[in-house]
Amino acid sequence: RSVLWILTLVYVGVASVCLEVFGTTRVEGVTMLTADYGIVVREPGGGVSPRHKAMVALGAALLLLYPVGIPLLSYFLLRFCRRNPEYRGAVAFLTCGYRERHHYWEVLEMSRNLFVSVVPTLFPQNTALQVASAQCALVCFLVALPLCRPYKANADLLLQCAQLLTVWILISSGSLIEQGDLGAETRESVETLSLVVLISTLLLLAAECLAAMVVERARVRPAP
């Protein structure tokens, strides 16, 4: 259980590292690895270097083993534990807070994070594609959350929606600022709005944590 918990905790970071081997950048006719410009992928008029071929083969194996394998492993473990209730404690951290019929929702969250990580790594110079893909993934989850209501507590649903909406606004604001076509006043307004949204979300999260602490303390307090 502890090993699976650690693998899930570091999932996004490790998945991004596994994908870095596929990201390339072309500079003056020379294709180099985006994560390390010291590694030449393709010389002008030449083929792919043997070193990069080996790295791609290793990266593909690790991609199947970890970024794709962990969500699949989690899903099948959830199905197995659902059929065998005596083992549910081993995957309780994956299902905690979700309704019984949405016990698989954490796997969807991991898949969304994988999708959002893939596009920037494979297309580092296509900012429009990165923004569009991230926004589409966030909007899909923002629509699905109120419809499916996978969380047991309404407060958790509200927090998740607020988190996704905040990320969507920050991505949109960053894209507008990066375009460079905004005036000084408009740019300042966008930056202020992003800061206000971020602070509001943090305050909402702090309020939710405080409320949870108060409820838990009231629950364990002995009756007079």
Side-chain angles (χ1 to χ4, degrees), residues 4-5 8 74-75 77-79 81-82 87-107 150-152 156:
L4 183 59
W5 180 80
T8 306
S74 300
Y75 175 73
L77 280 177
L78 288 173
R79 289 192 60 182
C81 294
R82 186 177 175 84
Y87 296 106
R88 287 191 176 184
V91 293
F93 67 95
L94 289 174
T95 59
C96 181
Y98 297 113
R99 299 180 187 274
E100 183 66 20
R101 64 178 181 274
H102 294 111
H103 61 282
Y104 55 84
W105 197 264
E106 187 65 29
V107 178
Y151 295 95
K152 295 178 181 178
D156 293 338

Side-chain angles (χ1 to χ4, degrees), residues 12-64:
V12 176
V14 176
S16 299
V17 173
C18 293
L19 290 166
E20 284 182 353
V21 70
F22 300 99
T24 59
T25 302
R26 191 177 181 85
V27 180
E28 297 181 354
V30 180
T31 304
M32 297 173 289
L33 195 68
T34 304
D36 185 358
Y37 281 4
I39 300 177
V40 177
V41 176
R42 186 192 299 270
E43 294 283 357
V48 179
S49 65
R51 181 182 182 185
H52 189 253
K53 288 182 179 179
M55 293 177 63
V56 168
L58 179 60
L62 293 176
L63 182 66
L64 294 175

